Amino acid sequence: MNDVASVQGLPPGNLVIRRIGQLITNDPDHGGPLGVIWGGAVVILDGVIDWVGLDRELPADVGDLPELDAAGGCVLPGFVDAHTHAVFAGDRIEEFGRRIAGATYEEIHAAGGGIASTVAATRQAARDTLMDETRERLHVMLHHGTTTAEVKSGYGLDTATEVKMLEVIGRLDAELMMDLVPTFLGAHTVPHEFATDRTGYVRYVIDEMLPACAPLARFCDVFCDQAAFAVDEAREILLAAREAGLGLRIHADQLGPIGAAALAAELGVMSADHLDHADDAALRALAAAGSVGVLLPGVSFSLRLPYPDASRFADAGLPVALATDANPGSSYVLTMPFVIALAVYEMGMSPGDAVLAATLGGARALGMADRGYVKQGAVGDLVALAAERHVALAYQPDTPHVAHVVKAGRPHMTA
Ligand code: NIG
Ligand code: FE
């Protein structure tokens, strides 16, 4: 068995996983949305799932493959965290002190703190420092079962630093046992040097940053909210990003109802994220547009705000993903099991729906059709729990249940 460091750079692996308790395939062919198989086994060849079935029916010719003994534990697809701001320098511990003493996130933001203070630290940080700090956080995520994560820029807000952030994402993607999906978030907030010229900043994002960043990113995101960019500004930036070949996602109506979710539906974005203040009509429009809603209960937890009610999204027919929003200000939450527990306790999601949203939901939110389920042809990204059933993730919320993480057929222990 490997630790994270010793498997970096290894080619995709061959592996047979045996003695699985509850195998969650997310493949309705096995019944129900979770497609549970009790007593299952999985074969991975060259990093891709080749066979899924009952352990007692395992093909005889897999005897020579390396074996992982799940010891009766639950096995599920690797978590897909579809919304993170994991690249940043420094921290906001002082601001946290003010927040727990009563200051709100928006008050701190309006007073020039918040995102702006992380922008100052990230502009100043050497690329290697930024990489080292980010790598530590990604290791925590990986040890808790995240095998794919979207990571945004957005703490540069100038071309050089946005490019530096996206390059860090690219290098860590190549280095770690995690697939990282880079998103350009030049429109995160208006930096101080453009404080009196918002229009000038929107032009700078479109005319200068976007052409430099688009080759390094797969998506473009805009923070479209009452304390951030207006609907018309977001539309202009996202349309330019689409022209530049990027997929679209959007921070929509997190802090107030400004019509960002309706814009998201109009543009047919791949995902609309947060949605705390989006109304039911906008949720139905998003569903009709084929978008995914990305829900981030770590923010409600960290800012002590009301949680969105999961039933509203289900009633609107909008598929959802759960994600961490990992960032130094509004949600310094790194692990998907914690997010699953929050969704179950605070948003009224069933444990099964929460697991589905943290795996297949995340993959859909990123437009990745090759993961989030356990079936022949899917990537060999799996998590093995020490517990027999997925319900343990919510029932025993602070137990570190993840015993093994398998990335493209390569296993490592997390203990
Ligand atoms: O998703 N909403 C905007 N961006 C982040 C917060 C980033 C920060 O506070 O540094 C979010 O909550
Ligand atoms: Fe965010």
Side-chain angles (χ1 to χ4, degrees):
M1 199 63 54
N2 305 291
D3 63 21
V4 181
S6 69
V7 294
Q8 285 166 11
L10 290 184
N14 299 325
L15 189 71
V16 52
I17 309 176
R18 302 202 57 180
R19 286 171 288 283
I20 299 172
Q22 183 191 40
L23 172 60
I24 295 187
T25 66
N26 290 345
D27 176 0
D29 285 355
H30 298 294
L34 292 183
V36 170
I37 298 174
W38 286 97
V42 178
V43 178
I44 301 171
L45 293 181
D46 277 335
V48 176
I49 294 173
D50 189 63
W51 185 91
V52 181
L54 292 169
D55 193 291
R56 61 169 188 274
E57 292 172 4
L58 193 67
D61 60 356
V62 300
D64 291 341
L65 298 181
E67 186 175 308
L68 175 69
D69 183 357
C74 173
V75 168
L76 61 154
F79 296 123
V80 180
D81 187 347
H83 182 138
T84 86
H85 306 253
V87 181
F88 58 85
D91 61 48
R92 305 230 289 268
I93 281 187
E94 261 180 62
E95 172 187 310
F96 174 66
R98 277 186 278 151
R99 274 202 295 107
I100 51 175
T104 68
Y105 180 79
E106 281 172 281
E107 282 163 5
I108 290 169
H109 183 76
I115 294 172
S117 66
T118 301
V119 169
T122 306
R123 284 179 176 180
Q124 227 199 339
R127 184 187 316 259
D128 284 353
T129 311
L130 195 56
M131 254 182 92
D132 292 345
E133 293 185 19
T134 304
R135 186 188 293 105
E136 273 186 41
R137 289 185 280 274
L138 295 178
H139 275 176
V140 175
M141 293 161 67
L142 179 57
H143 278 258
H144 290 268
T146 299
T147 48
T148 301
E150 184 257 17
V151 188
K152 301 174 198 296
S153 68
Y155 293 122
L157 313 185
D158 62 33
T159 305
T161 315
E162 290 290 307
V163 165
K164 177 171 75 176
M165 292 183 74
L166 291 165
E167 284 175 353
V168 164
I169 299 168
R171 288 188 194 193
L172 290 170
D173 172 54
E175 182 192 308
L176 298 178
M177 282 184 43
M178 236 177 150
D179 289 326
L180 302 181
V181 178
T183 294
F184 168 59
L185 177 59
H188 197 185
T189 190
V190 176
H192 67 82
E193 61 273 22
F194 281 93
T196 55
D197 184 15
R198 301 181 58 83
T199 319
Y201 186 63
V202 171
R203 289 264 48 95
Y204 176 64
V205 170
I206 293 173
D207 296 339
E208 293 197 34
M209 289 165 95
L210 183 60
C213 293
L216 301 169
R218 204 180 303 172
F219 290 99
C220 178
D221 191 346
V222 173
F223 184 13
C224 185
D225 219 310
Q226 60 190 18
F229 291 88
V231 165
D232 286 346
E233 294 167 335
R235 182 189 288 107
E236 200 183 345
I237 293 165
L238 290 170
L239 286 175
R242 177 177 279 162
E243 267 311 287
L246 297 178
L248 306 185
R249 36 203 337 108
I250 182 166
H251 282 70
D253 297 331
Q254 171 190 0
L255 304 168
I258 68 156
L263 171 69
E266 171 196 319
L267 296 178
V269 296
M270 186 154 285
S271 81
D273 302 26
H274 290 284
L275 298 173
D276 303 71
H277 293 274
D279 62 26
D280 291 342
L283 298 186
R284 285 193 298 272
L286 278 169
S291 299
V292 176
V294 178
L295 306 180
L296 306 157
V299 179
S300 305
F301 175 78
S302 306
L303 301 185
R304 291 175 296 172
L305 294 171
Y307 290 79
D309 180 350
S311 67
R312 288 190 54 223
F313 303 90
D315 291 348
L318 181 63
V320 294
L322 284 169
T324 59
D325 202 9
N327 76 74
S330 68
S331 172
Y332 208 145
V333 166
L334 300 179
T335 78
M336 294 298 277
F338 184 69
V339 171
I340 288 169
L342 288 179
V344 171
Y345 284 90
E346 303 288 353
M347 293 172 53
M349 275 183 127
S350 71
D353 284 349
V355 164
L356 199 63
T359 53
L360 189 59
R364 285 186 176 149
L366 294 176
M368 298 174 103
D370 63 350
R371 63 196 65 199
Y373 54 94
V374 181
K375 187 177 185 169
Q376 191 183 38
V379 294
D381 292 358
L382 296 160
V383 168
L385 307 181
E388 187 192 30
R389 302 158 186 253
H390 72 282
V391 183
L393 291 166
Y395 177 52
Q396 298 152 274
D398 72 339
T399 299
H401 292 289
V402 174
H404 304 273
V405 180
V406 177
K407 176 67 198 164
R410 285 176 283 132
H412 73 86
M413 288 182 79
T414 63

